[in-house]
Each structure stands twice: as structure tokens, then as C-alpha cells.
Amino acid sequence: MIEAFGLTKRYGAKTAVHNLSFQVRPGVVTGFLGPNGSGKSTTMRMILGLDRPTSGQVTIGGHPFRQLPNAPRQVGALLDAKAVHGGRSARSHLLSLAQLAGIPAQRVDEVLGVVGLQDVAKQRSKGFSLGMGQRLGIAAALLGDPQVLLFDEPVNGLDPEGILWVRNLMKKLASEGRTVFVSSHLMSEMALTADHLIVIGRGQLLADMSVTDFISANSADFARVRVPGTDPAEREKLTAALTGAGGQVLSEPDGALRVTGLPLPRISDLAHGADVRLWELSPHQASLEEAYMRLTQGAVDYRSTDDRLAHLQPPVPQGRPGYGAPQEPIAPEVPQQGWYAPPPPGQNPYASAPQPGDTTKDVR
């Protein structure tokens, strides 16, 4: 298990990580997410003893990394796939690491086979593609058969087959009871790989929860409605009925309507009462990417000058040990065509009504 307690790192006047506390538990794949410059790499370097925290501490199995006996047999990491001498072959690189840690040479050939580099084991690494370099870095992390593994962007440069292989590898390692901590910017891949998420922004903790809870807490489901043909009168009639019943209706580029604030049976009844036939009435859930963008929009340091998302959230307050849920954006008075913000959290019209005696867990 990896545990961080009040972890803070300052570089002069710049605070890279501020009062960060979390746990990475064994048996699950934990995704580590955050915008560029949020402090993910700095946090991983502190976990591995490469950077000393200004305050706080981080431990692996109850001990700082530097106090672990024969650390390569307990912790494996891929932080920089390019940290290889280009004049060495893949096998020579791994063999040197194995000799330093007292690992048998037989294990080198085993991990080369695991990552699919056995046929190029004697080639110099300077001729490797980005994807081959990533595989070599993963092989180095697996070399000591450790119980704790950290990977920073492990699928960079990999083809679809390689990405699928990494995904299955992470799940297999976690199923064996290992602690697996993975940083990535690929939301679609994290949605398929991770069981739990730790999200930071500007060095502070934004979320620490399961993937399912994260999506539910930072988005709301909606209904997609479509009427026959292209007659605007039918769409306007249905829109008037839905808004009159308290729903929020926005137009999509393909002519469909996105409806929030009303359950599907109520939408169907309103359409029937307005004498409007429906060609589509389907529930939709937000993706991990949409939920992530909503939560972290105020914590982005590097954004383009033409950013349609910039208005969604106010700047993240500085000097606070953590944040709660993001503030709700102001909804436009007139439905807009094209892109629009997802509905604010906590207003899922399809969630079952709470029963007497139930308690709701605060996920902030």
C-alpha cells in the first residue's frame, strides 16, 4: 500500500504539491489523473524517493522508499522510458539492473518475453521506437516481481494491440493482490482500466473515489429525444411541453433533443399528451472524460486562447488544503445549438428516490 500524509513540495516560490493525502490500496488499479502541471510526476517522484517533500511524508508498506531493503524487489516503476543508455541492448540494460538488485539472469529473459521484446533483445535501445521503449520500461518495472508498481503514461506510443496488452496486464497485476498506481491523460483508457481514481489539480486533491462514483458526482444523466421528420413545429411543441413541466431542453446538432430534469416515463407521458410521436427516447450517462473535464476545468494552467470551456468554472482558490465539488455554472437562458456544458451534479432525474433511513455518502 502507498500512503501519503500532508505531502507538500515547493520549488522556491512555486508550490507543486500542497497538503496531499491519499491511499493507494492493493488489489485494484488506481488511476492518477490531473491536468498538465498539476503535480502528478512530482508526487510520483516523492513516492520513489527521487524528490524530498518539503513537508509531510509518503510511505510504501509503512516505510519511506529509501528505507526499503532491496527496493527493486518490492517496488517497480516506469517514470521515463527514455532513461536508458542508447548503446546498450535491451537485454544488457535489464541484466545490469538485475545484477544490481541480485535478481537472477533468467528473470531478464522472462520479462523480455512478457513485454514482447524477446526478438529484439540484442538490439541497441537507441533504435527502438517510442512504443518499444515503453515496453522496455515496463519490463524494467516488472523485473523484481514487486508487489507495488507505479506507471507514468505507460501506453505512450503503443499501438492498439499494445494498449490492450497494457490494460490487461494492469488488471492481472491488481488481481494478484499487487498495488498498481497508473498516471494517464487518456480518459477513455482509464475508464476501461482503473477501478479507483485519485484526481489532483494544482497540487491539491480534487477527488479520491471509485470511477463510478466519480462520474456520478461530477455529471448528471440525460435523456435523448427525437421526433419524426424535420418539422420544427413538432420539436417546438414537444420542447414547450417539456419545459412547461420543469425540464431543461437543449438542441443537438443532429436534430435530437437533450432533456434533463425529467424521468423517461414523464417525458413519454408529456409527448403523448402533446400528440407528438417519438422516434427515440433513450437514457444516456456522461463519460469519464466529461466528468473529468467538468471537475478540473478550473485547475487548468495551460489552455489555448480559444477555449470554449473557460467560462464553466471560476479559478481554483489558492492556499486551501483541498476543494469540494465544483461550483455550478450559470445555465444559459436560451438553449444553444452545438456544444454545451453537461448538467450540474446532484440532479440525476433517473436516480431512485432515497428511502427513509438511508444515508448518502459525501464524496467530496
Side-chain angles (χ1 to χ4, degrees):
M1 179 185 290
I2 302 171
E3 296 179 284
F5 308 94
L7 205 58
T8 298
K9 180 62 178 178
R10 298 187 182 91
Y11 296 97
K14 179 177 177 57
T15 301
V17 177
H18 177 69
N19 197 28
L20 190 59
S21 299
F22 61 84
Q23 290 183 337
V24 184
R25 296 176 177 83
V28 296
V29 178
T30 301
F32 193 31
L33 308 180
N36 287 333
S38 61
K40 299 190 302 300
S41 296
T42 300
T43 300
M44 284 191 157
R45 289 179 59 84
M46 287 191 286
I47 293 174
L48 296 171
L50 298 174
D51 283 344
R52 291 184 181 273
T54 304
S55 61
Q57 65 173 344
V58 57
T59 61
I60 300 175
H63 303 280
F65 180 87
R66 296 187 182 190
Q67 297 180 12
L68 293 174
N70 202 350
R73 285 183 173 269
Q74 301 189 49
V75 183
L78 167 62
L79 295 190
D80 183 3
K82 296 180 180 179
V84 180
H85 192 296
R88 287 181 177 176
S89 67
R91 191 177 189 282
S92 295
H93 170 67
L94 295 177
L95 186 59
S96 65
L97 296 177
Q99 291 173 340
L100 287 171
I103 299 170
Q106 179 184 356
R107 178 61 178 168
V108 172
D109 297 318
E110 289 177 1
V111 295
L112 283 169
V114 169
V115 301
L117 293 180
Q118 63 272 23
D119 293 337
V120 295
K122 296 182 180 180
Q123 293 184 17
R124 293 184 178 183
S125 61
K126 66 180 180 181
F128 282 7
S129 66
L130 179 59
M132 293 169 68
Q134 290 293 115
R135 289 176 180 266
L136 182 57
I138 293 173
L142 299 176
L143 193 59
D145 196 24
Q147 288 298 306
V148 178
L149 291 138
L150 295 86
F151 299 98
D152 191 1
E153 301 288 351
V155 298
N156 270 1
L158 294 179
D159 58 16
E161 184 277 332
I163 292 174
L164 177 61
W165 166 72
V166 169
R167 183 193 311 159
N168 292 332
L169 175 65
M170 301 296 163
K171 291 183 176 181
K172 178 177 180 296
L173 293 169
S175 70
E176 295 171 352
R178 304 175 198 259
T179 300
V180 182
F181 196 34
V182 186
S183 170
S184 179
H185 288 294
L186 298 179
M187 295 299 109
S188 59
E189 192 55 35
M190 278 289 97
L192 296 172
T193 305
D195 306 296
H196 194 89
L197 294 177
I198 294 173
V199 185
I200 64 174
R202 293 179 179 168
Q204 303 184 58
L205 185 67
L206 297 182
D208 184 353
M209 62 188 73
S210 71
V211 174
T212 302
D213 290 344
F214 179 80
I215 295 175
S216 298
N218 295 285
S219 64
D221 297 341
F222 64 92
R224 181 179 169 86
V225 182
R226 187 186 299 277
V227 300
T230 58
D231 184 4
E234 292 289 293
R235 296 176 75 250
E236 292 174 2
K237 186 191 302 185
L238 179 60
T239 298
L242 295 174
T243 54
Q248 294 82 44
V249 182
L250 292 172
S251 298
E252 295 194 331
D254 61 357
L257 300 175
R258 176 180 290 206
V259 183
T260 58
L262 296 171
L264 263 65
R266 179 61 173 156
I267 295 174
S268 177
D269 290 341
L270 290 169
H272 179 74
D275 195 25
V276 176
R277 289 187 301 138
L278 299 181
W279 275 6
E280 180 183 352
L281 177 57
S282 58
H284 285 258
Q285 185 183 44
S287 66
L288 174 60
E289 181 179 39
E290 292 172 325
Y292 168 82
M293 292 298 294
R294 180 178 182 85
L295 177 65
T296 62
Q297 191 56 43
V300 176
D301 286 325
Y302 308 102
R303 76 171 79 244
S304 67
T305 55
D306 182 18
D307 191 344
R308 293 177 294 175
L309 307 182
H311 69 284
L312 285 183
Q313 292 204 14
V316 176
Q318 298 294 322
R320 295 177 56 187
Y323 326 57
Q327 298 183 12
E328 298 179 2
I330 301 175
E333 297 181 359
V334 181
Q336 298 178 347
Q337 185 76 7
W339 192 94
Y340 43 82
Q347 298 184 8
N348 185 352
Y350 309 117
S352 58
Q355 300 298 320
D358 286 351
T359 59
T360 302
K361 182 180 179 182
D362 187 358
V363 299
R364 293 181 291 173

